[in-house]
Amino acid sequence: MPQAPVLPHGSPTTFAGLSETFSFHASPESFISSRVLAFQKSDPALARSRTPIHAKILNRNVAVISSYDHVRQILCDEAVASNLSSGKAYDELMAPFFPPPNLLLLDAPEHQQQKFNWQERMKTLESIVCATVSKIVLDHLCEIQSGSSIDLYESMKSLSWKILLSIFLSDGKGERSEASTRETVEALQEDLLRGQFSLFPISVNTRFWRSPRSKGLEARRRLESLLASEVNQGACPFATNTGRERQDVASHLLLFTSSLAVKALASLLTALLLNLYVFRGKAPESALSDRIRAMDDRALRSKYLKSLVLETERLSPPVVGIMRRTTQEIVLDSSENCSQEQSPAPTMIPKDWDGWIYFVGAARDPATFGGTAEAFVPDRYVNSESSRERQQEGFAFGAGAKGCLGRDLIRSVAATVVETCLGLDSERSLSQGPAQPPRVKLVGNLSQIPSGVQAWLGWQQDVAPEQWAKDIKQLPTQRPRKPILVQVLH
């Protein structure tokens, strides 16, 4: 007999809401895991099934969702997705800093047409990305004295600024905006991000002090003016014919060149290069970089690189999750992968609740990924058709109709960074068997990587949530809290 839907588990009080807000901002992983573990004593199956959890964040009722199947329903099931709004969920957090026109905050049906228009625009970048990124990567890493050590995340953040501003603040033919313009954009975007994620959500501007939110809103106004000027002068890769198109492009450049986008790319590149050069796995004497370069089969090498990127995305998504607000009551069915005795009742999320979709937990769901759900398996996607657990990707770029517009672009950037470092970035080296000598090599000490960082990467399992929180900063994007030093050789 079908079970009646139930509310998400947990009964947070208004008083507890403030504490939960700060706990969530400190570490979503620790926050969510601690609440799951709290149910384990009374009902172990509840924790295994990753049932939605009721929390109070910023004084709103929130359903925290970390089951892979539930996340798929929310993002890909039209019957569910049609009763959810991203615009309303982000009204306070993003709308003041990224005003319309804004694809990210649009809901159906307007979203579909706008996304199609932008997908056509993004195609113009395909011919310039690889060559542009490859040159930037080489210049960036070769500026570092060979043999010196760097903070990998900070170096990747600097590289990500160069990449994104070079792609989006250029005319598409290699002519970039002035260096001073790019420096101004970077500084203003940093102010905007600090204002956006400030826990003091009030704009205060006095003679002696300005709140981070006030500074962020002022930065947004200055950026809007600067980016509109760049578009009017043709200093962007997207053709515009009307004033409305120019406004649309300038508004989206505010998103594409944001500090949030830069830090997300830096997070992905940091995890990817640590996996490439420091991870050892079953062959402790051999890094993945050496194994990939030893492959004579170009097709296999390409599959392995793609699998490496997908597995890094699955375990270490830069953005830990997204929000949706229910416009009508929705019901999430229990997982298809749970046995009948383990299957919990369907979950009902009332109207006007927020659904906080936790990508990190969903992409490590044993019901979908089996016994290796928490483990880094670099060849997981090499033969993706062989079994269900190998076919499913993570949610680094969302999924469904609202999936990230920049997914293919960022995957291309990530692959180009790896290929450039390994000396695989020319068709000549790819087509003639063994690769040419690597242009850059990174050397790291596995024993000096904190356990929380290793858990983030999937190298180490069964790490306590408190240790994860100690070693990994998760908002606004995931990154190690302390510098991870690697030596650069070229």
Side-chain angles (χ1 to χ4, degrees), residues 401-443:
K402 289 280 288 182
C404 178
L405 176 70
R407 183 193 65 184
D408 293 343
L409 173 68
I410 296 304
R411 283 179 174 172
S412 179
V413 168
T416 301
V417 170
V418 171
E419 290 169 353
T420 302
C421 291
L422 296 181
L424 305 175
D425 55 319
S426 70
E427 284 297 316
R428 181 175 179 275
S429 66
L430 281 172
S431 62
Q432 294 187 353
Q436 302 303 307
R439 299 183 179 184
V440 178
K441 185 174 183 178
L442 304 181
V443 179

Side-chain angles (χ1 to χ4, degrees), residues 226-302:
L226 188 155
L227 294 173
S229 176
E230 293 294 297
V231 171
N232 290 335
Q233 294 174 33
C236 86
F238 307 118
T240 56
N241 299 313
T242 67
R244 185 173 182 178
E245 285 183 343
R246 286 191 287 273
Q247 181 187 5
D248 184 30
V249 168
S251 178
H252 283 85
L253 285 180
L254 187 64
L255 277 171
F256 300 157
T257 65
S258 66
S259 181
L260 183 61
V262 166
K263 290 180 178 180
L265 178 56
S267 171
L268 178 62
L269 293 180
T270 298
L272 187 59
L273 293 182
L274 287 172
N275 287 334
L276 184 69
Y277 287 105
V278 184
F279 175 76
R280 291 298 184 268
K282 296 179 181 178
E285 75 289 348
S286 176
L288 288 179
S289 57
D290 297 326
R291 283 181 258 171
I292 292 171
R293 283 179 44 76
M295 295 177 183
D296 292 342
D297 186 328
R298 176 184 173 184
L300 177 61
R301 189 189 299 159
S302 178

Side-chain angles (χ1 to χ4, degrees), residues 153-209:
Y153 172 77
E154 288 299 324
S155 182
M156 290 303 100
K157 187 169 72 169
S158 175
L159 175 62
S160 297
W161 275 117
K162 295 173 184 176
I163 289 173
L164 293 186
L165 295 186
S166 293
I167 290 174
F168 292 112
L169 294 184
S170 71
D171 63 0
K173 301 176 183 177
E175 293 296 323
R176 306 179 195 175
S177 297
E178 295 290 333
S180 59
T181 299
R182 299 198 300 274
E183 291 170 1
T184 300
V185 169
E186 181 176 340
L188 291 174
Q189 288 283 16
E190 292 282 14
D191 284 344
L192 187 154
L193 185 69
R194 281 190 286 270
Q196 181 186 355
F197 281 87
S198 171
L199 282 176
F200 185 68
I202 301 173
S203 183
V204 177
N205 185 1
T206 70
R207 181 178 177 182
F208 304 103
W209 182 77

Side-chain angles (χ1 to χ4, degrees), residues 95-99 184 188-189 191-192 203-205 210-229 250 254:
F97 298 94
F98 298 99
T184 300
L188 291 174
Q189 288 283 16
D191 284 344
L192 187 154
S203 183
V204 177
N205 185 1
R210 296 183 67 184
S211 67
R213 185 178 179 86
S214 174
K215 291 179 181 178
L217 292 173
E218 173 61 24
R220 185 214 76 200
R221 288 188 284 270
R222 291 179 60 188
L223 279 164
E224 285 180 310
S225 175
L226 188 155
L227 294 173
S229 176
L254 187 64

